[in-house]
Amino acid sequence: MSTPNNLIEKTEVEGRKLSIVEALREALQEEMRRDERVILLGEDIGIKGGFGGAFTVTLGLSEEFGSQRVLDTPISEAGFTGIAVGAALGGLRPVADVQYGDFLFLAMDQLANHAAKLRYMSGGKLKVPMVMRAPVGATTRGAQHGQSLESHFMHVPGLRVACPSNPYDAKGLLKTAIRMNDPVIFFEHKLLYGSKGSRKEAGGLELFGTVPREEYLLPFGQASRVRQGRDVTIVANLLMVHKSLLAAKTLAEQSIEAEVIDVRTLVPFDWETVFESVSRTGRLIIVHEDTLTGGWGAEVAARVADSCIGYLQGPIRRVTAPDTPVPFAPVMENFFVPSVEKIVNAVKEICQ
Amino acid sequence: MNQSLLTRERRLGMYRKMLLCRMFEDRVNSLFLQGRMPGTIHQAQGQEASAVGVCEALQVGDMLTSTHRPHEHAVARGIPVKFLMAELFAKSTGCCHGKGGSMHMGDAELGMLPAIAIVGGGVPLAAGYALSFKYLKKPSVAACFFGDGAVNQGVFHETINMAAIWDLPVVFVCENNKYGASTVIDSVMKVKTVSARASAYGIPGKTVDGNDVFEVYRATLEAADRARTGQGPTLLELETYRFAGHSRSDPGHYRSKEEVAAWKKRDPIVRFETDAQSSGLLTEPEIVDYRASVEAELNDAVAFAESSPSPLAEECLTDVYAE
Ligand SMILES: Cc1ncc(C[n+]2csc(CCOP(=O)(O)OP(=O)(O)O)c2C)c(N)n1
Ligand SMILES: [Mg+2]
């Protein structure tokens, strides 16, 4: 079993304060310098005078690496995803991205039927070392630019799934993803990118994090215990890690000590850390922005029920988006996205 | 084409490959009817000139992608038939260790990606290989087989456009056998030829007699040369016909007897034999000998497949991830 990697420890790491965007860019840059086979594909990612992708992650990379390595594609998600799969089979390490995670559905065949399965159906002879980066999360852009899609991909054997919540994890996991020999779907939450202006909806979240100057990699399959507590375990990912931490603060004022676990990767999933925590606290809340039914929280609930039923002192609760498309109106969107208040209430209910 | 440009040996080699394709399919058909193979099969009898003509123009290091109808492509690419047969028998010695089956046969180490059974799905994969070849400065090309049914898929359009703007070394090969399952191509495509679409991407397009192995070879060689010398992709359309139904369960009632009979007169193997006999390339007794030698190779393949072990049930769990 892995030792839970503590965020509190990480803030003591020597380094600079970076946003997730900067951390991701550094990861790409370091891996591209290290390995000629790493190339980028996506829309508007390297255009001179452009914006470095929808969220500026690739800004400046085409200047350093040239348009042969930072490939600007037409608006052809299915096509360029398939080309990335083929290029990975051919020996490159492509990092493709969609401007919004929602567009992964256009590329679903190439990801789920080809990238995920070619190793298996070749009897283990092939590998598909590619990364697909995808921004997720509701940001008042409505139903087709705000979904959280992790659960869909967690359900496809053959794919790896990462969903970091902070700059340190984002950089370390992306570097590992690029070196992996399996296809990785790499989810990034738009409100965590740390850019200013239109992303101010993120409210009072701490979006900058300490990132060491020295190179480091983070393994997949190691969750991070970002807060210790004895009364309840809250398991979350992406933006919901931050909301869970805020909820834990409120709960502490009411003498409930919540332990918060950031899953960091969904495939592979660090079951040990979750089981160990639940066996101490006896209570479990799962928080995700992905919708409720069939969401990854259901899988966590089922596994915990299977492995830790004897330790449970109350029902398992999920605090998630409802089973609806993402609405536009802020008043509805605020209802849709799990709030700190909802997390607090769910905890109090099961702690009674 | 001017056949004299090809050595006698080469021409006879192409003939034997076509025979091997056809007789492989016929053997598989009878084994299947005897219930000795699980699953279903999509057979390609009648399309041998296309499979062999294209593969003959490819080199070691080139990559071929294929479809749900891949048996003849795999045979023509030179994957030993015993490994193909073993895969159809679901044995661990099969080219995909029993995890692929009929619709995924292939072996990338031998120049053919496991076949892709999503119609059109292999088209971007071939372009991706081509991108890697270009980027890694390898002198290789990707060749991509797909049916007439694939040309109305979105990835067909997206991929050919990208291959064109990036001058990727890929040859797109449409085996136009007139039908996608029971749907006749004229009913789902307004232009008269698939190759006409090439102009929409600014690349050369060409329709050739897909039942003439030398025509197919020449057209593919030209397209592959073009790709290899950095001039980008070509869209080839090979006009051909499948003699069998779409899959094992299809009696083919949507095609008229007259149409089938007319195409059988253009049988690429019969045509080759007739021409070869009149030009003195082959004699009747030699044809008999070739058939006997192919028969023997297939007997060995079946014996190999039958005597091979099945995979363990638990092997279901392996090969999902590389690490
Ligand atoms: C995306 C997709 N849709 C439908 C099918 C079912 N299907 C299998 S083969 C086929 C017809 C394909 O026709 P064509 O591309 O002309 O190839 P042919 O069978 O003639 O070799 C269909 C519809 C499929 N395999 N994939
Ligand atoms: Mg067809």
Side-chain angles (χ1 to χ4, degrees), chain A residues 36 79 120 125 159-160 181-182, chain B residues 95 107 135 158 316 322-323:
Chain A
E36 281 265 318
Y120 193 79
K125 292 182 183 180
L159 298 178
R160 304 266 186 207
N181 286 323
D182 291 314
Chain B
C95 55
D107 186 340
Y135 184 86
E158 294 183 20
C316 163
E323 48 207 295

Side-chain angles (χ1 to χ4, degrees), chain A residues 106-292:
Chain A
L106 283 91
M108 205 63 180
D109 173 52
Q110 288 299 326
L111 294 169
N113 281 325
H114 307 298
K117 294 185 174 52
L118 271 157
R119 177 170 184 80
Y120 193 79
M121 67 202 213
S122 69
K125 292 182 183 180
L126 293 169
K127 57 180 198 225
V128 187
M130 66 173 284
V131 179
M132 173 59 86
R133 294 181 36 242
V136 291
T139 62
T140 58
R141 275 142 189 81
Q144 297 176 342
H145 289 71
Q147 298 168 82
S148 293
L149 301 164
E150 307 90 82
S151 306
H152 288 279
F153 294 88
M154 188 192 194
H155 196 63
V156 180
L159 298 178
R160 304 266 186 207
V161 178
C163 45
S165 71
N166 61 73
Y168 176 84
D169 290 355
K171 182 176 177 187
L173 289 172
L174 182 56
K175 283 171 67 81
T176 303
I178 292 170
R179 294 187 200 186
M180 269 186 155
N181 286 323
D182 291 314
V184 178
I185 316 295
F186 199 93
F187 290 103
E188 302 159 11
H189 199 289
K190 281 163 266 172
L191 292 184
L192 295 176
Y193 273 136
S195 45
K196 294 161 200 81
S198 63
R199 309 275 149 230
K200 69 177 185 298
E201 301 94 328
L205 297 177
E206 178 48 76
L207 298 178
F208 289 75
T210 307
V211 177
R213 285 184 196 285
E214 314 76 60
E215 177 170 60
Y216 65 97
L217 296 165
L218 289 179
F220 274 47
Q222 248 182 49
S224 161
R225 187 161 43 147
V226 292
R227 187 181 197 281
Q228 284 181 13
R230 57 168 193 271
D231 298 321
V232 59
T233 301
I234 304 178
V235 177
N237 73 336
L238 294 164
L239 179 66
M240 293 304 123
V241 173
H242 299 263
K243 296 223 174 163
S244 299
L245 284 169
L246 291 174
K249 223 183 206 175
T250 306
L251 288 162
E253 288 158 11
Q254 301 168 37
S255 305
I256 298 176
E257 289 300 331
E259 178 144 309
V260 180
I261 292 174
D262 176 352
V263 297
R264 302 208 283 193
T265 63
L266 287 168
V267 184
F269 195 99
D270 182 357
W271 299 111
E272 295 301 320
T273 294
V274 172
F275 294 166
E276 188 278 329
S277 176
V278 172
S279 68
R280 273 188 289 104
T281 64
R283 291 187 167 87
L284 175 63
I285 297 278
I286 305 135
V287 191
H288 58 64
E289 191 176 322
D290 208 338
T291 51
L292 177 71

Side-chain angles (χ1 to χ4, degrees), chain B residues 53-77:
Chain B
V54 168
C55 290
E56 199 64 21
L58 300 181
Q59 300 177 2
V60 172
D62 292 347
M63 186 57 70
L64 180 70
T65 68
S66 174
T67 71
H68 58 282
R69 198 179 300 289
H71 302 178
E72 294 197 345
H73 301 155
V75 173
R77 190 70 178 111

Side-chain angles (χ1 to χ4, degrees), chain A residues 36 69 74 76 78-80 83 86-87 89-90 92 110 114 119-121 123-126 158-160 180-182 267, chain B residues 95-97 99-100 104 107-108 114 116 118 121 124-125 128-129 132 135 155 158 162 166 316 318-323:
Chain A
E36 281 265 318
R69 296 188 70 188
S76 303
F80 77 67
I83 287 177
L89 291 163
L92 303 187
Q110 288 299 326
H114 307 298
R119 177 170 184 80
Y120 193 79
M121 67 202 213
K125 292 182 183 180
L126 293 169
L159 298 178
R160 304 266 186 207
M180 269 186 155
N181 286 323
D182 291 314
V267 184
Chain B
C95 55
C96 305
H97 303 167
K99 282 181 170 150
H104 301 310
D107 186 340
I116 298 296
I118 305 293
L125 299 180
Y129 264 107
S132 76
Y135 184 86
V155 284
E158 294 183 20
M162 274 183 278
W166 295 338
C316 163
T318 61
D319 301 325
V320 180
Y321 295 100
E323 48 207 295

Side-chain angles (χ1 to χ4, degrees), chain B residues 148 177 179-180:
Chain B
D148 46 287
N177 60 11
Y179 294 86

Side-chain angles (χ1 to χ4, degrees), chain B residues 42 47 67-69 117-119 146-150 153 175 177 179-181 242 246:
Chain B
H42 301 84
Q47 303 187 181
T67 71
H68 58 282
R69 198 179 300 289
I118 305 293
V119 170
F146 52 89
D148 46 287
Q153 283 284 25
E175 291 185 300
N177 60 11
Y179 294 86
R242 60 169 157 74
H246 167 64

Side-chain angles (χ1 to χ4, degrees), chain B residues 187-215:
Chain B
S187 69
V188 289
M189 187 176 77
K190 192 78 170 176
V191 286
K192 290 272 175 289
T193 63
V194 169
S195 64
R197 295 213 181 159
S199 66
Y201 307 106
I203 63 169
K206 193 167 193 180
T207 301
V208 300
D209 179 350
N211 281 10
D212 181 331
V213 71
F214 298 117
E215 277 300 307

